[in-house]
Amino acid sequence: MKKYVIIAFVTVSGLFSVNAMAQSKVGHINAQALIEAMPEAQTAQKSLQQYAEELDKDGKGLIDEYQKKLKEFDEKAATMTDNLKEIKGKEIQTAQKNIQDYQESAQQKIEAKRQEILKPIYDKARKAIEDVAKEKGYAYVIDSSVGVLLVSPASDDLAPAVKTKLGIK
């Protein structure tokens, strides 16, 4: 008898939770488009572009050095001893490695800078989305920019309300 009471309780509890989930409002927003529309994001993108260009200028110095060594080697290779060719060849290889190391380092620095600059913007957008969802009673908000959902229930687009909250036209 006790077993039947427990089963009945679990079944009734399950029905209430399914009913509660069925009544939850679902909304969607293209978070990427929202962030791109934010003026802060456009400013951050320009700043990131300038930073990448500065790093690129520094890298060009290494490339110029490499090309100079390679040209010198090509011009004088016929008159060099085998020992000197080996030394110059190693210098060229070192210059190549320096270029590769610099490029990897520059990519890491750009990515770190991107994270640093964009984090406050992402946080601001997320807060606005959460606020609008709370104000309008949405239990779930799906990011439609990811494009992973193949089938989803009908939902409301929160982008206009969030843009209004952020002051974006």
Side-chain angles (χ1 to χ4, degrees), residues 60-70 91 95 98:
K60 287 188 191 269
L62 293 173
I63 292 171
D64 290 344
E65 177 187 336
Y66 167 74
Q67 289 175 341
K68 180 182 171 187
K69 288 182 180 190
L70 192 60
E91 285 179 7
N98 290 343

Side-chain angles (χ1 to χ4, degrees), residues 36-53:
E36 289 173 1
M38 294 173 68
E40 301 98 316
Q42 295 167 0
T43 304
Q45 194 63 31
K46 288 178 185 174
S47 173
L48 205 57
Q49 183 68 29
Q50 288 174 343
Y51 183 69
E53 287 172 1

Side-chain angles (χ1 to χ4, degrees), residues 64-129:
D64 290 344
E65 177 187 336
Y66 167 74
Q67 289 175 341
K68 180 182 171 187
K69 288 182 180 190
L70 192 60
K71 183 180 177 185
E72 181 183 318
F73 182 82
D74 287 341
E75 289 173 353
K76 298 180 180 178
T79 61
M80 288 185 192
T81 63
D82 289 341
N83 193 24
L84 190 56
K85 283 182 184 179
E86 185 177 327
I87 292 171
K88 293 293 183 181
K90 286 181 182 178
E91 285 179 7
I92 291 171
Q93 289 175 348
T94 301
Q96 280 179 321
K97 176 130 177 51
N98 290 343
I99 291 169
Q100 290 172 346
D101 291 346
Y102 183 81
Q103 288 173 339
E104 290 173 13
S105 172
Q107 286 300 320
Q108 291 171 353
K109 286 179 182 179
I110 290 170
E111 189 55 37
K113 187 79 163 175
R114 176 178 284 121
Q115 295 297 327
E116 175 189 326
I117 290 175
L118 294 180
K119 185 178 181 336
I121 297 167
Y122 288 145
D123 291 346
K124 182 178 180 181
R126 183 173 183 84
K127 173 104 172 75
I129 292 168

